[in-house]
Amino acid sequence: MIWLHVASDIVIASAYFSIPVALSIFVSKRRDVDFGWVFWAFALFIMACGVGHVMSIITLWYPIYGVEGIVKAMTAAASIVTAAMLWPLLPKVLALPSPSQLRAAEVALAQEGVYRREAEDMLRQSQKMEAIGQLTGGVAHDFNNLLTIISGNLEIADRCLHSWSDAARERLTRVIANAANGAHRAAMLTQRLLAFARRQPLDPKLTNVGQLIAGMSDFFRRTLGENVELEVVEGASLWQIEVDPSQLEAVILNLVVNAKDAMNAKISGAMANSGRLTIETSNVSVDEGYRQQNAGVPAGDYVLISVSDTGSGMPREVQEKAFDPFFTTKQPGQGTGLGLSQVYGFVKQSGGEIKIYSEVGHGTTIRIYLPRAAASPETDGQSDAPVVGSSGSETVLVVEDECDVRSYLVETLKDLNYRVREAANGGAALALFDANPFRIDLLLTDIVMPGLNGRELADQLHHRQSGLRVLFMTGYSRDAIVHQGRLDPGVSLLQKPVTQALLATKIREILDKA
């Protein structure tokens, strides 16, 4: 019986002595572990328990019960201290994540890493587009001035042809027409660049998308040809949106033409007998769940325009570059690569979002989300068609820093029977007016000029002549009269290059306004 007690105490003491060693090694190796001091306290307590069992063996032969009592008292004190520290610590220990929670957190962290990489890719794309936008805006300003000079002087030359012989007039008319066509194509190119760069000044109006698409459906059918069937599905009670309707028409037409090319490529490749294009509109409300799954689409109410084709589709690498400027999968000479980038720029500038869904061999769907307008539609009274030209009693002050552009504008306005005063910049215009004040029926001014810009000049002249009517011109305007991509209320603007017909119509529209 005695040896049974001895053997048991030896085994227990050995185990008790090994536990503090293991705990000390663990705490020493894992200095990041929370509550490390608890492990040390527990190790001392276990060590005291082991000494107590050794003393039990010794007292079987040597009755040193006083020493054994001291050891047990020390063990009791250690146990009380350890328990006193452990119980208040229990809630904190229970709050530590379990292994399963840590695994779930690891999975969530990995998913967050994916989202972050996607966000970084979107940021890099945005920065790249912003850099291209800065370049686009700077080039467009000078290029549109040159186009105004080219197309303007071609118009003047065309008007002078009537005094020439028939043969010379016919040849020169043909040459001028070719040059004018080139200038028009260049003008369209700059407008696409500005649209992509989100630098074009938009003139938003409350628009019903269903009515707009219905009015263009016949034109779409003629554009698509006989091989492609068109289906227009209009959602019920579509909300109003606030966009530039002419630019929205251009965007939808762009998508229709792209879809036609994709389907014709599939048809010509003997992959199908015909194509089908579906334009669908509907009201959608984007909730938080959808927003998280579709980065870049904020929660809110939108009018959705969906353009789907049965064309050849896009592989993933093409989808990722589809909105990049000058990127195209068409043969050289068959596309500028600015179509979808123009669509992207307009949608973003209008506060919307655009998404591509495509599968190779199964077609493409492009969805445009345009935010619902807060305002109610207004009914504008219909005015009679404006009369081109002047009776000869109206004075236009032309302010343009580009000499050749100003010369064209002056010549054109004189041909339209206006009295014309001219100045090279804002300071010269104010000096001209202050030296000999005269009645200004219309101020026709460029926006981007050295010194006073067009908006500042208009403000100065408003103080000198109340009720002054102003028509701004620009090849590229960022801040003077355009904010968040939209014209300031009540502002009239001509986008360069300016033609005689457009200039004459716009001036009469302003002067004849009650």
Side-chain angles (χ1 to χ4, degrees), residues 350-362:
S350 299
E353 298 296 336
I354 182 169
K355 296 290 181 182
I356 295 180
Y357 304 89
S358 187
E359 185 177 347
V360 176
H362 296 279

Side-chain angles (χ1 to χ4, degrees), residues 5-14 16-17 46-60 68 71-72 75:
H5 280 280
V6 170
S8 299
D9 282 332
I10 290 174
V11 171
I12 294 172
S14 300
Y16 278 172
F17 289 146
I46 295 298
M47 180 68 74
C49 290
V51 173
H53 283 278
V54 171
M55 292 304 301
S56 295
I57 297 173
I58 295 174
T59 55
L60 289 174
E68 183 182 20
V71 170
K72 287 185 176 181
T75 304

Side-chain angles (χ1 to χ4, degrees), residues 26 55 121 172 245 275 307 510:
F26 173 76
M55 292 304 301
D121 290 341
L172 192 53
V307 180
I510 296 172

Side-chain angles (χ1 to χ4, degrees), residues 160-175:
C160 295
L161 281 177
H162 298 290
S163 60
W164 286 40
S165 64
D166 291 342
R169 184 163 54 251
E170 181 180 348
R171 180 182 180 186
L172 192 53
T173 298
R174 184 172 64 254
V175 172

Side-chain angles (χ1 to χ4, degrees), residues 49-121:
C49 290
V51 173
H53 283 278
V54 171
M55 292 304 301
S56 295
I57 297 173
I58 295 174
T59 55
L60 289 174
W61 286 278
Y62 303 98
I64 49 176
Y65 296 111
V67 176
E68 183 182 20
I70 293 173
V71 170
K72 287 185 176 181
M74 293 174 60
T75 304
S79 65
I80 291 172
V81 172
T82 303
M85 291 188 299
L86 185 60
W87 280 105
L89 194 64
L90 185 60
K92 296 182 180 179
V93 174
L94 291 175
L96 293 174
S98 66
S100 61
Q101 290 174 319
L102 288 174
R103 286 192 293 272
E106 183 180 7
V107 172
L109 186 60
Q111 188 65 37
E112 178 66 23
V114 173
Y115 290 150
R116 181 170 294 184
R117 285 191 294 272
E118 291 177 352
E120 289 173 351
D121 290 341

